[in-house]
Amino acid sequence: MEKKSKQINQNKMEKLVALLKRRGFIFPSSDIYGGIQAAYDYGPLGVELKNNIKRAWWKRFVQSKLDMVGLDAAIIMHPKVWEASGHVKNFTDPLVDCKKCKKRFRADHLLPANAKSPGYDKEKPFFVSDYQCPDCGGELTEVRQFNLMFQTFMGPLQEDAAKVYLRPETAGGIFVNFKNVVDSMRLRVPFGIGQIGKAFRNEITVENFIFRTREFEQMEVEYFVHPREWEKYFNEWLEIMKGWCKFLGIKDSNLHLQEIPESERAFYSQRTIDFEYDYPFGRKELYGLAYRTDYDLKQHQKFSGQSLEYTDPLTKEKYIPHIIEPSLGVDRSVLVVLLEAYTEIIGGRTTTTEATKELEVVLSLPYELAPVKIAILPLAKKESLVVMAKKIAQDLGNNYAVQYDETGSIGRRYRRQDEIGTPYCLTIDFDTITDQAVTVRDRDSMQQERVAIKDLDNFFKLKFN
Ligand code: GAP
């Protein structure tokens, strides 16, 4: 039974990955050169979906909140930032090599799912003599710590003095701008700074499509609070994150909140709740919410020599604010949205056209996230219809992402739009010339209704708001 469900899940991942390539969502990076391990490019529809997710996050987590502001910091920062944050010393994963086949593994990934409690030590997850190479059965080396930061050199000289890092998390750019934001924005604690951007980690193992890659994007909030109030705001952000998961279409049954024990928490965290998701390849982390205490600001104060003490403008109390951090991966958001939306209908949903007799795929994406909102389909390639259809596409295109498609049977065109998650298809037929109305088809119910061209704007306003 378990074997069968594993098989179905593996098939689901394979089918989804194939669909995403076929329909222009996600391609292997450098594809014509055979690809590069675990790097992906977002294609024309993928970039729309990803941008819609980022836009929705920005709106919900930053713009719509009076106590939030945004930031876009540089990826390459002063190397001292990562000494202060502890990443140079501590941002490591435990690594083992197979002495026989020379493959490298993340030691904690070799443990069975329930082997981490109690007394688990993430520096030394196990006695190597108890484990063998999962690929060839060879003997493993002792566990050693491998730093995940990508290094490069700034300027023409490749010497230690020019060594810099690609940021391993977007958070660093926020901490070092705390003073700039306080001084320029007249904000009073509690307030937060949100940022979306790329992060880089030289992961020992990369896996499962866009789940774990070495270059990825994060959407992070650093929320600054009075130390007495951290629990209140931790709980507030927990609820906001739960609401976000609902908005993405994640079913409650697929989401699991995991209190992370001290032995497994990141070095800076005093409390962490992981949002875990039931991916087809197992239950794994989606997002994290952490209470980082005053660790970051204190460290940056120490290493920069600049005071990061905050003075409350009303009470005049001086203190270093504590930080609550909701940290969300963009790529994992894309993956779960697609997994939740992917629906197969065996035998098709209608029998009216040949195209729908086979297995049919519908991406039931939330409207706000769908890369194309409305497809404009002239029933035939006749000039009278094409001209009207293009005019409608032009007009609606001012407000919505539209796609114009005149190739293939109408059934095939509906299916193509269902597969990419387009909420509405609009068909221009021969009656349109006389009655100045079009047929609008709903992706999920497949209900069709006749709408006058002059009413389309209002019609879609109601549907999409
Ligand atoms: N500032 C805190 C921080 O970076 P994290 O748990 O290491 O915490 C936050 O990362 C989120 O970033 C994760 O929950 C995940 O969504 C995403 N993430 C982390 N590593 C990733 C990787 N290698 N590939 C894709 N996403 C990743």
Side-chain angles (χ1 to χ4, degrees):
M1 190 70 180
E2 197 181 305
K3 207 169 160 189
K4 199 171 168 200
S5 86
K6 215 170 172 179
Q7 184 72 41
I8 292 170
N9 279 333
Q10 193 180 340
N11 286 347
K12 182 175 177 183
M13 254 336 259
E14 280 168 12
K15 283 192 259 184
L16 180 66
V17 172
L19 171 82
L20 296 178
K21 183 170 182 199
R22 195 171 70 247
R23 291 287 179 231
F25 280 83
I26 301 177
F27 308 128
S29 170
S30 323
D31 206 11
I32 58 168
Y33 288 94
I36 176 168
Q37 198 195 20
Y40 294 92
D41 296 340
Y42 286 81
L45 297 190
V47 69
E48 293 291 342
L49 171 62
K50 188 170 157 178
N51 281 344
N52 289 343
I53 289 175
K54 290 194 280 185
R55 243 191 309 270
W57 181 89
W58 192 260
K59 204 161 84 190
R60 281 168 176 72
F61 284 69
V62 182
Q63 260 175 356
S64 67
K65 294 176 101 331
L66 296 179
D67 53 351
M68 285 292 303
V69 290
L71 183 79
D72 184 11
I75 286 174
I76 298 177
M77 304 173 67
H78 197 295
K80 267 199 167 174
V81 170
W82 306 113
E83 280 174 41
S85 68
H87 282 79
V88 171
K89 210 163 148 204
N90 297 318
F91 195 55
T92 55
D93 272 338
L95 168 77
V96 285
D97 291 312
C98 171
K99 290 184 183 168
K100 198 163 141 205
C101 71
K102 310 292 177 210
K103 280 216 175 106
R104 295 187 144 181
F105 303 94
R106 223 178 107 170
D108 53 334
H109 284 180
L110 298 183
L111 292 169
N114 56 358
K116 286 190 177 171
S117 58
Y120 170 76
D121 176 1
K122 71 177 175 186
E123 305 278 307
K124 270 203 181 317
F126 54 66
F127 291 111
V128 281
S129 51
D130 294 343
Y131 282 79
Q132 291 166 336
C133 169
D135 280 10
C136 74
E139 203 183 319
L140 299 173
T141 60
E142 282 299 328
V143 179
R144 62 191 190 284
Q145 296 304 312
F146 174 78
N147 194 291
L148 300 183
M149 281 202 296
F150 273 101
Q151 293 180 13
T152 188
F153 298 94
M154 193 90 149
L157 293 177
Q158 297 213 350
E159 58 184 19
D160 266 2
K163 193 161 83 182
V164 288
Y165 304 96
L166 303 188
R167 67 179 176 205
E169 56 175 17
T170 55
I174 301 182
F175 303 136
V176 301
N177 275 298
F178 169 74
K179 187 171 154 44
N180 281 337
V181 172
V182 169
D183 291 348
S184 59
M185 300 303 292
R186 301 175 310 280
L187 287 162
R188 189 173 171 223
V189 169
F191 75 90
I193 305 176
Q195 176 168 222
I196 300 177
K198 291 263 183 177
F200 301 83
R201 294 180 191 177
N202 199 6
E203 300 277 2
I204 296 169
T205 49
V206 278
E207 52 183 349
N208 300 313
F209 191 43
I210 53 171
F211 172 77
R212 192 186 307 283
T213 52
R214 296 191 171 105
E215 172 184 345
F216 56 96
E217 249 179 308
Q218 291 184 314
M219 308 181 281
E220 295 199 296
V221 167
E222 305 304 324
Y223 196 76
F224 303 93
V225 300
H226 190 285
R228 268 196 313 269
E229 293 191 310
W230 77 266
E231 265 171 316
K232 175 176 167 213
Y233 291 107
F234 188 93
N235 291 331
E236 269 187 20
W237 282 105
L238 186 63
E239 291 309 312
I240 294 171
M241 287 175 75
K242 285 188 203 165
W244 169 255
C245 291
K246 257 200 171 37
F247 161 72
L248 293 186
I250 299 176
K251 285 184 239 7
D252 286 348
S253 57
N254 285 336
L255 191 68
H256 308 276
L257 269 54
Q258 201 66 37
E259 184 80 45
I260 303 299
E262 193 184 346
S263 59
E264 285 182 53
R265 280 201 296 264
F267 55 89
Y268 49 71
S269 172
Q270 205 156 296
R271 186 177 177 198
T272 298
I273 290 183
D274 273 358
F275 281 58
E276 295 186 342
Y277 180 77
D278 287 328
Y279 300 90
F281 42 85
R283 186 174 297 178
K284 288 174 191 287
E285 181 183 334
L286 169 62
Y287 303 138
L289 172 65
Y291 167 42
R292 298 181 70 129
T293 68
D294 55 1
Y295 172 82
D296 302 281
L297 291 185
K298 267 199 172 145
Q299 286 293 102
H300 289 300
Q301 175 168 279
K302 187 167 142 199
F303 277 72
S304 68
Q306 300 250 353
S307 170
L308 297 182
E309 200 172 58
Y310 167 79
T311 308
D312 188 285
L314 296 184
T315 64
K316 306 294 173 210
E317 186 187 359
K318 286 181 185 299
Y319 60 93
I320 302 272
H322 284 218
I323 291 172
I324 308 296
E325 179 193 63
S327 179
L328 293 81
V330 176
D331 310 84
R332 287 189 195 173
S333 305
V334 172
L335 182 58
V336 296
V337 162
L338 288 165
L339 284 166
E340 289 286 344
Y342 182 87
T343 316
E344 283 181 350
I345 298 128
I346 295 161
R349 292 192 294 180
T350 70
T351 49
T352 51
T353 67
E354 223 180 281
T356 53
K357 281 189 189 135
E358 312 139 22
L359 175 122
E360 209 182 316
V361 171
V362 182
L363 273 191
S364 306
L365 294 168
Y367 283 9
E368 195 174 331
L369 302 183
V372 177
K373 305 287 191 257
I374 309 163
I376 318 289
L377 317 172
L379 193 63
K381 264 196 218 168
K382 291 272 183 297
E383 197 178 335
S384 51
L385 299 190
V386 166
V387 168
M388 285 186 97
K390 285 194 171 159
K391 167 84 173 70
I392 293 172
Q394 203 85 56
D395 290 346
L396 287 175
N398 289 326
N399 294 322
Y400 304 98
V402 301
Q403 194 174 76
Y404 173 83
D405 186 4
E406 57 178 31
T407 56
S409 73
I410 194 72
R412 287 238 173 258
R413 279 184 275 165
Y414 281 156
R415 278 198 63 193
R416 278 207 290 268
Q417 295 301 329
D418 288 346
E419 276 193 341
I420 64 170
T422 306
Y424 293 100
C425 286
L426 192 154
T427 308
I428 292 92
D429 55 29
F430 291 101
D431 289 341
T432 307
I433 299 167
T434 47
D435 70 0
Q436 293 293 304
V438 295
T439 302
V440 179
R441 171 189 180 267
D442 180 299
R443 176 193 69 195
D444 302 315
S445 67
M446 291 199 306
Q447 293 286 319
Q448 302 197 357
E449 58 186 301
R450 204 75 186 154
V451 182
I453 295 173
K454 66 173 174 42
D455 296 336
L456 281 174
D457 231 18
N458 265 342
F459 176 86
F460 286 119
K461 236 180 232 153
L462 287 174
K463 293 290 182 192
F464 287 116
N465 288 333

